[in-house]
């Protein structure tokens, strides 16, 4: 992924930065068999409602967000058969002791990883038996950020690169 240099923003309010609608473009590479794919869609970060499972700290930065992603994936399966179709996923984000980070959870409340753009917070990992998922985040502008998942283990050997761009009111993108 040839990305612009990450921006450093001390005291970034991550919740405020993420809140809203973003377009997403993702490339997928299965290093084990050389297959490639894409995902394009929309990601919305909206305030958590009363029915959401909530975890995190209490305090001024504990306002959570729901992340909902939907779009179209084009991928060649391990059998070599092409697939194009709809894809969605959801996560919950909760505030931490710092406004610069948020903890991400699966919809059922299981912990996933910590998200942030600071030098100490931009890298995280999650073990999902039997593979390890490593993510790196980079804020590349006021209206763009990127992240890369590097998945390794006996079941998967993949890289997923995502670029999110803020969708402004009235825009079609």
């Amino acid at each position: 992924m040839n990305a612009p240099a990450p921006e450093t923003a001390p005291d970034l309010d991550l919740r405020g930065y993420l809140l809203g609608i973003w377009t997403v473009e993702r490339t997928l590479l299965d290093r084990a068999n050389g297959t490639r794919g894409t995902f394009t869609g929309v990601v919305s970060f909206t305030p958590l409602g009363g029915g959401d499972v909530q975890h995190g700290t209490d305090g001024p930065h504990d306002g959570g967000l729901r992340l909902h992603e939907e779009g179209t994936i084009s991928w060649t399966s391990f059998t070599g058969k092409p697939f194009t179709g709809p894809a969605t996923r959801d996560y919950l984000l909760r505030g931490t002791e710092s406004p610069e980070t948020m903890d991400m959870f699966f919809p059922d409340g299981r912990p996933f990883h910590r998200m942030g753009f600071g030098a100490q917070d931009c890298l995280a990992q999650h073990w999902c038996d039997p593979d390890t998922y490593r993510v790196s985040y980079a804020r590349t502008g006021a209206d763009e950020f990127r992240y890369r998942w590097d998945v390794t283990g006996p079941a998967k050997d993949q890289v997923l690169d995502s670029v999110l761009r803020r969708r402004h009111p009235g825009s079609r993108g």
Side-chain angles (χ1 to χ4, degrees):
M1 170 169 67
N2 293 330
E7 285 192 353
T8 56
D11 302 323
L12 173 73
D13 172 14
L14 183 58
R15 182 186 187 281
Y17 176 75
L18 294 174
L19 194 60
I21 308 295
W22 301 74
T23 61
V24 59
E25 296 176 12
R26 180 173 301 126
T27 59
L28 308 103
L29 169 64
D30 187 326
R31 293 179 290 219
N33 59 26
T35 59
R36 295 180 180 274
T38 60
F39 174 87
T40 57
V42 175
V43 177
S44 60
F45 292 91
T46 56
L48 283 177
D52 293 307
V53 175
Q54 297 191 17
H55 297 271
T57 60
D58 292 323
H61 305 293
D62 69 344
L65 295 173
R66 170 181 292 284
L67 181 164
H68 176 72
E69 176 180 281
E70 61 183 65
T72 302
I73 188 168
S74 295
W75 182 253
T76 302
S77 73
F78 66 92
T79 64
K81 184 177 179 181
F83 169 81
T84 298
T88 64
R89 66 177 166 180
D90 292 282
Y91 297 107
L92 306 175
L93 287 86
R94 296 294 297 162
T96 66
E97 64 282 350
S98 168
E100 299 171 9
T101 61
M102 296 190 83
D103 286 334
M104 194 174 293
F105 295 86
F106 293 100
D108 64 5
R110 289 176 297 128
F112 189 20
H113 69 281
R114 180 161 286 184
M115 178 184 186
F117 297 117
Q120 303 299 314
D121 307 309
C122 67
L123 302 174
Q125 75 177 34
H126 176 79
W127 186 73
C128 185
D129 192 12
D131 301 310
T132 301
Y133 288 65
R134 291 177 182 85
V135 64
S136 59
Y137 288 99
R139 182 176 178 265
T140 52
D143 295 322
E144 181 181 290
F145 72 96
R146 298 167 182 254
Y147 61 92
R148 168 179 273 205
W149 281 102
D150 188 349
V151 186
T152 57
K156 294 181 181 175
D157 189 9
Q158 300 174 342
V159 175
L160 295 83
D161 285 314
S162 301
V163 178
L164 282 77
R165 293 181 180 94
R166 186 179 311 279
R167 194 164 82 183
H168 294 282
S171 70
R172 295 178 166 253

